[in-house]
């Protein structure tokens, strides 16, 4: 089977499993919405828009870690052995990255809508620009955390290792997202945040390329 067919088949497998185990996605959404609700009630809309923006990205980061951690760390040894014999390592990591990008993009969209509902409808001046930045930022989170999850799954203390390995890369990416989305909140033109957008997109492709190169060596272990 070709690389493209293997990748499509694995993405389809992930979607079918997610649909079968709806409780997993439901748990992530409940976790995200609960955090938004608690923050909004505790602050009582007393913060300026830029502060809401920072809190949103922090919530998105925690939700992303919980969502993507199960990519490899949640797989049983039998499932990993089955995948090892079923498809190539490169198809597996690419399909995981694409699926997690779709998953986090959806979760980020729902979380953003809930933030707008609780923080106020006039929070964001340029909604399309803000949405684009959030989706691209969530894709960057997904690409990074997928690779780190694959590495952490081969060691002990997986959750701790996941946090330690992802922190140096995720935090700068989150700061870029905060900066770009802050400009969208102010209603500044797209050109002002284009540099951050291109950085985030290039980050996704760089991590994907590194994953394709390095993951086969991790997968053999």
């Amino acid at each position: 089977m070709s690389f493209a067919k293997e990748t499509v088949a694995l993405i389809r497998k992930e979607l079918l499993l997610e649909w079968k185990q709806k409780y997993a996605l439901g748990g992530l959404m409940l976790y995200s919405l609960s955090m938004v609700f608690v923050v909004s009630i505790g602050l009582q809309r007393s913060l300026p828009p830029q502060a809401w923006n920072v809190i949103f990205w922090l919530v998105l980061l925690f939700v992303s870690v919980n969502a993507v951690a199960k990519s490899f760390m949640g797989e049983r040894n039998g499932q990993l052995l089955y995948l090892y014999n079923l498809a190539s390592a490169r198809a597996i990591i690419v399909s995981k990255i694409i699926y997690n990008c779709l998953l986090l993009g959806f979760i980020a969209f729902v979380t953003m809508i809930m933030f707008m509902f609780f923080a106020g409808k006039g929070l964001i001046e340029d909604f399309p620009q803000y949405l684009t930045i959030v989706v691209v930022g969530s894709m960057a989170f997904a690409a990074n955390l997928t690779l780190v999850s694959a590495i952490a799954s081969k060691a002990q203390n997986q959750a701790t290792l996941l946090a330690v390995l992802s922190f140096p890369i995720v935090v700068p990416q989150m700061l870029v997202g905060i900066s770009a989305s802050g400009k969208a909140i102010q209603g500044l033109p797209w050109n002002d945040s284009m540099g951050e957008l291109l950085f985030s997109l290039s980050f996704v492709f760089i991590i994907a390329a590194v994953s394709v190169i390095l993951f086969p060596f991790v997968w053999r272990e």
Side-chain angles (χ1 to χ4, degrees), residues 1-213:
M1 188 181 294
S2 66
F3 171 79
K5 290 182 179 179
E6 287 182 348
T7 303
V8 172
L10 289 170
I11 294 174
R12 184 172 180 270
K13 184 265 297 183
E14 294 288 345
L15 291 172
L16 290 175
L17 285 177
E18 196 68 59
W19 178 254
K20 183 179 180 180
Q21 302 174 352
K22 301 182 184 69
Y23 63 86
L25 180 60
L28 287 173
M29 297 306 303
L30 179 62
Y31 175 75
S32 173
L33 299 182
S34 298
M35 291 184 68
V36 174
F37 179 76
V38 170
V39 168
S40 62
I41 295 299
L43 297 177
Q44 299 180 351
R45 301 185 181 183
S46 60
L47 293 179
Q50 294 296 344
W52 279 106
N53 183 47
V54 174
I55 294 175
F56 166 76
W57 281 96
L58 289 172
V59 171
L60 181 60
L61 174 61
F62 287 116
V63 174
S64 299
V65 172
N66 283 276
V68 180
K70 64 183 179 65
S71 294
F72 291 95
M73 295 165 54
E75 299 278 5
R76 298 178 181 176
N77 291 332
Q79 293 173 317
L80 294 176
L81 181 61
Y82 176 70
L83 286 177
Y84 184 86
N85 296 307
L86 180 68
S88 66
R90 290 182 173 87
I92 292 172
I93 190 64
V94 170
S95 64
K96 290 282 190 180
I97 290 175
I98 294 175
Y99 170 74
N100 286 330
C101 286
L102 296 174
L103 176 64
L104 288 188
F106 172 74
I107 293 176
F109 175 76
V110 175
T111 305
M112 182 184 64
I113 296 300
M114 291 301 297
F115 253 100
M116 292 178 61
F117 176 79
F118 285 109
K121 297 181 179 179
L123 178 67
I124 302 172
E125 294 290 337
D126 191 340
F127 180 78
Q129 182 181 356
Y130 192 88
L131 175 61
T132 303
I133 293 168
V134 169
V135 170
V136 173
S138 64
M139 291 171 58
F141 284 169
N144 171 49
L145 293 172
T146 301
L147 177 59
V148 175
S149 175
I151 297 173
S153 65
K154 301 298 181 179
Q156 297 179 351
N157 298 322
Q158 297 176 356
T160 303
L161 187 60
L162 175 65
V164 171
L165 292 178
S166 61
F167 182 81
I169 305 177
V170 170
V171 170
Q173 177 58 45
M174 183 178 67
L175 294 177
V176 170
I178 291 174
S179 174
S181 56
K183 296 174 183 178
I185 286 179
Q186 299 175 17
L188 299 178
W190 284 74
N191 290 335
D192 289 3
S193 59
M194 191 57 64
E196 288 94 339
L197 269 175
L198 292 177
F199 172 83
S200 298
L201 281 174
S202 62
F203 183 86
V204 174
F205 288 110
I206 291 173
I207 290 293
V210 171
S211 301
V212 169
I213 295 172

